[in-house]
Amino acid sequence: MKQKTVILGVLGVDAHVVGNKIMEYALRKEGFKVANLGTFVTQEDFIKAAVETDADAILVGSLCGHGELDCRGFRENCIEAGKGDIHLVVGGNLVVGKQSWEGVEQRFKEMGFNRVYPPGISPKVVIEDLKHDLGNKGP
Amino acid sequence: MSKTANCGLFIDFGSTFTKAIVIDLDGERVVGRAQSPSTVETDITVGLNAVLDEINKAREVEPACRYKLACSSAAGGLRMVTIGLVPDLTAEAAKRAALGAGAKVVGVFSYKVTRKELHELETMVPDIVLLAGGTDGGDQETILHNATSLSGCNLHAPIVVAGNKVASDEIQAILASGHKEYIITDNVMPEMGVLEVDKARSIIREVFINRIIEAKGLKKAEQFIDGILMPTPTAVLTAARLLSQGTAKEEGLGELVVVDIGGATTDIHSIARGDPTQPGLVQKGLPEPFVKRTVEGDLGVRYNASSIVDAVGREHFEAQLGNSDFDLEEAVNQLSLFPDRLPESESERGLDTELARNAARLAMERHAGTIQTTFGPEGQVLIQYGKDLRGIQNVIGTGGPLIFNPFPGKILEETLYSEENPFSLKPKAPEFYVDERYLLYAIGLMSEVEPDKAMRVAKKYLRRL
């Protein structure tokens, strides 16, 4: 099977790089081709990289609590760029304050993210899901 | 070539003038120079022989030359069109590769080229097309589409393919079926965030030597000289690199910038890493090539004088010149109509200096990196795009309008960092040098055969201000 390409990065004005490095390491170890854009990545940069690399998925990290604002319109922008069917994953500290996880997950799914992960999720879970999801999607 | 031959002859076939410099290789000094109108339209050797005669006449004995090397920007220079996928990514990478190869980039296309764009491309009549698109293993659809379009179009220029390597076999078949001349080379952007332009640059230079010289009717010059080795901008860039890095025997000057002000364009060459020099800065954008050339096609002090006035504002020029009787518009028109004419009146000289100062400033602002501020939950964040040149120690000025100006320092001053625009990362406190003998192209050519001597000659003749 063709090696799957994923774009990884931390969205918005957000410098939290530790989880990003761990995810990159874990994804590479599992055989993914990773284009890690690092921190302070805009939606546009994620999508441009996905176009150029013909990526299978975009993995968005958002740790600063502004995820809901920063992620708005992500799917629509992918559609505009001709990558409307790309697999979108988001995780991190997506919101601030005490909110029910179900509600948060629901809101991000409505924005067009295929998978939404709460804080403290193990990379293993994310990668297993990713393999499953891309396997189903792929040719 | 004789063993006693102790000179090197270095020629620049320019669009207006054919220039030559003779360097005594033993004495390491300039012993002759001449220029004559270029005759590329009719027979390149006529202008060349006029220059050679002039050199011989000036000396009692004909200089015995060990090397006779030339560069050329004649017949429009090396005109290139570049094609990539995403404008900020492979399209930009391809453009940088072409500029670094000394080309005049006449068109940049991105995504799938439309029929209308293809027609535009045909009418540009480029000498070489650089086709990129997709990282290795990335998008193939676009580059295959563009290869198919090129294959079927009315274009005879060689195509250098530097895109997704996975698509290269298919591209080869497509271009071959259209009877196109093509060369497949390494991807200019093999991965996200990785820029690899050196291979493409050297292929472009090979194509220039092997095909373009002949196609432009310059080959005939090789009856009298050893060869035309590179486009003139490449010779200047090669000299800049040599001056910066030196050789095993001769120490270089370190990181530097060359400001080349011309009648039609202003070029900036930086030989510098440009990494952030202040803590807490985040660097974004496409990685910067260590040897970087930018060309500002709207900032020439003759043909494009009016666009400099427009960019800065006529009020600025009127205030600087302080002569209410002076007809600025007419003077600017005259400059583009008679580009060879030298300024006569005080006001004309003032205008010349002011045009050069602004061309230098704007070109450096566009070449140097910038800082953008943005605000996040943890306060202000500074993001750097492009090269930080604040720590650069040497700025070298060249090009007729700068060399022949009585105040080259006043022009170079404009390239400096200014508190008025602190986010433009221009050099803060460099040494200024002027290439007053118009020698840099010859140094670039000479470095191909005698790098140590070339370095010493350059050091000897660059005037420190």
Side-chain angles (χ1 to χ4, degrees):
Chain A
M1 202 171 70
K2 185 179 167 272
Q3 192 185 21
K4 299 291 183 189
T5 301
V6 300
I7 309 294
L8 185 66
V10 182
L11 177 66
V13 185
D14 190 341
H16 297 88
V17 77
V18 179
N20 170 269
K21 293 284 178 206
I22 294 170
M23 267 320 287
E24 178 181 350
Y25 176 79
L27 284 160
R28 283 193 200 279
K29 223 177 137 206
E30 290 295 320
F32 286 92
K33 187 163 182 174
V34 186
N36 188 358
L37 307 182
T39 55
F40 297 101
V41 183
T42 62
Q43 283 194 20
E44 291 72 23
D45 290 340
F46 271 110
I47 296 165
K48 285 171 185 172
V51 169
E52 200 73 72
T53 58
D54 194 19
D56 301 287
I58 296 176
L59 274 62
V60 177
S62 175
L63 289 301
C64 65
H66 283 211
E68 205 170 338
L69 203 62
D70 290 340
C71 286
R72 209 172 277 170
F74 208 122
R75 175 63 73 187
E76 287 76 6
N77 287 333
C78 289
I79 295 169
E80 280 293 344
K83 295 291 284 180
D85 59 352
I86 196 163
H87 189 66
L88 285 183
V89 178
V90 65
N93 296 315
L94 298 179
V95 293
V96 285
K98 284 193 178 132
Q99 301 189 32
S100 83
W101 172 246
E102 288 71 26
V104 173
E105 185 180 20
Q106 183 60 29
R107 288 206 297 283
F108 279 84
K109 286 208 159 161
E110 280 166 11
M111 274 194 254
F113 285 87
N114 303 83
R115 292 275 186 181
V116 186
Y117 295 104
I121 190 85
S122 159
K124 206 172 157 188
V125 176
V126 177
I127 290 170
E128 284 313 312
D129 286 345
L130 193 62
K131 282 182 180 168
H132 173 265
D133 295 342
L134 297 184
N136 283 352
K137 275 189 154 191
Chain B
M1 192 195 299
S2 116
K3 274 187 187 156
T4 55
N6 66 338
C7 284
L9 171 68
F10 304 101
I11 298 155
D12 173 23
F13 295 106
S15 42
T16 326
F17 288 105
T18 296
K19 309 171 209 65
I21 290 176
V22 182
I23 293 174
D24 174 344
L25 298 171
D26 295 336
E28 294 177 356
R29 57 201 181 91
V30 177
V31 293
R33 59 188 312 137
Q35 71 173 37
S36 175
S38 284
T39 53
V40 175
E41 312 277 300
T42 49
D43 179 350
I44 187 172
T45 58
V46 174
L48 174 62
N49 283 322
V51 167
L52 298 181
D53 286 348
E54 197 182 322
I55 283 181
N56 294 341
K57 241 186 285 165
R59 293 167 61 81
E60 280 157 21
V61 269
E62 185 173 331
C65 291
R66 206 181 302 166
Y67 312 104
K68 294 178 180 175
L69 306 175
C71 55
S72 166
S73 58
L78 174 59
R79 294 163 50 83
M80 283 186 66
V81 161
T82 60
I83 305 173
L85 171 50
V86 176
D88 295 355
L89 299 175
T90 47
E92 176 67 19
K95 181 183 161 196
R96 289 190 188 174
L99 287 172
K104 180 170 173 185
V105 177
V106 293
V108 178
F109 297 91
S110 49
Y111 303 117
K112 288 180 182 167
V113 173
T114 62
R115 217 174 288 171
K116 181 167 165 276
E117 287 174 325
L118 195 64
H119 181 67
E120 265 175 59
L121 195 158
E122 285 171 342
T123 56
M124 288 169 179
V125 200
D127 298 315
I128 300 177
V129 175
L130 179 59
L131 176 63
T135 52
D136 284 348
D139 180 83
Q140 300 185 45
E141 199 184 318
T142 307
I143 195 169
L144 288 173
H145 172 275
N146 290 340
T148 309
S149 300
L150 287 174
S151 180
C153 83
N154 181 24
L155 184 85
H156 305 288
I159 299 164
V160 175
V161 182
N164 184 355
K165 74 162 188 184
V166 179
S168 56
D169 290 345
E170 212 170 322
I171 292 170
Q172 200 159 349
I174 292 169
L175 294 177
S177 74
H179 306 288
K180 299 295 174 194
E181 207 179 306
Y182 63 89
I183 295 133
I184 310 257
T185 183
D186 295 355
N187 196 342
V188 286
M189 207 177 102
E191 286 178 49
M192 278 302 301
V194 179
L195 190 75
E196 276 180 16
V197 294
D198 289 350
K199 194 74 187 288
R201 274 181 194 172
S202 65
I203 295 285
I204 292 166
R205 189 171 156 198
E206 271 174 42
V207 176
F208 175 80
I209 294 173
N210 297 333
R211 318 279 160 87
I212 309 304
I213 300 291
E214 183 148 26
K216 285 186 180 288
L218 309 178
K219 192 87 181 166
K220 217 177 156 194
E222 295 185 358
Q223 294 169 2
F224 301 96
I225 58 173
D226 305 334
I228 299 176
L229 301 185
M230 53 184 98
T232 307
T234 311
V236 177
L237 198 59
T238 307
R241 189 201 285 252
L242 173 80
L243 275 166
S244 167
Q245 299 185 314
T247 65
K249 285 187 194 157
E250 288 297 319
E251 202 184 341
L253 299 174
E255 294 196 335
L256 59 82
V257 171
V258 172
V259 180
D260 185 351
I261 302 176
T265 66
T266 293
D267 292 17
I268 307 276
H269 310 250
S270 64
I271 317 292
R273 289 176 53 83
D275 292 339
T277 55
Q278 75 188 66
L281 263 180
V282 185
Q283 202 172 10
K284 300 302 285 181
L286 206 60
E288 293 291 320
F290 176 67
V291 176
K292 181 175 183 175
R293 166 174 176 251
T294 50
V295 179
E296 306 307 335
D298 59 336
L299 299 178
V301 300
R302 287 291 176 272
Y303 301 100
N304 298 310
S306 65
S307 67
I308 301 177
V309 175
D310 290 345
V312 181
R314 96 180 11 258
E315 302 73 24
H316 169 88
F317 279 86
E318 281 161 357
Q320 287 293 323
L321 299 174
N323 176 355
S324 53
D325 298 333
F326 185 61
D327 186 344
L328 181 65
E329 199 162 337
E330 177 56 21
V332 166
N333 272 339
Q334 292 293 314
L335 289 178
S336 59
L337 290 175
F338 305 102
D340 300 336
R341 222 188 62 156
L342 292 172
E344 282 160 10
S345 71
E346 200 51 47
S347 294
E348 281 178 357
R349 272 191 288 274
L351 174 62
D352 243 22
T353 303
E354 214 41 45
L355 285 168
R357 279 165 60 91
N358 284 290
R361 179 175 56 79
L362 291 168
M364 186 63 106
E365 268 168 21
R366 296 180 196 170
H367 184 96
T370 54
I371 290 179
Q372 286 180 14
T373 54
T374 180
F375 292 89
E378 285 150 36
Q380 192 186 35
V381 180
L382 300 176
I383 299 181
Q384 176 185 329
Y385 292 92
K387 286 185 178 184
D388 185 347
L389 299 176
R390 287 176 294 182
I392 288 286
Q393 284 158 12
N394 309 283
V395 171
I396 301 169
T398 187
L402 190 140
I403 295 171
F404 301 117
N405 191 288
F407 312 106
K410 256 184 90 179
I411 297 169
L412 289 177
E413 257 170 38
E414 288 293 314
T415 63
L416 295 182
Y417 175 87
S418 129
E419 286 298 342
E420 282 167 30
N421 185 7
F423 292 146
S424 179
L425 306 176
K426 300 187 285 185
K428 272 190 162 165
E431 298 284 350
F432 286 147
Y433 297 86
V434 178
D435 172 30
E436 62 182 357
R437 299 280 191 119
Y438 223 143
L439 214 59
L440 282 185
Y441 81 84
I443 298 299
L445 289 169
M446 189 173 166
S447 77
E448 297 274 303
V449 287
E450 298 275 4
D452 293 323
K453 288 178 187 295
M455 186 71 202
R456 286 194 291 267
V457 171
K459 280 186 188 166
K460 187 185 286 183
Y461 287 102
L462 279 181
R463 182 163 69 91
R464 191 154 148 183
L465 294 179

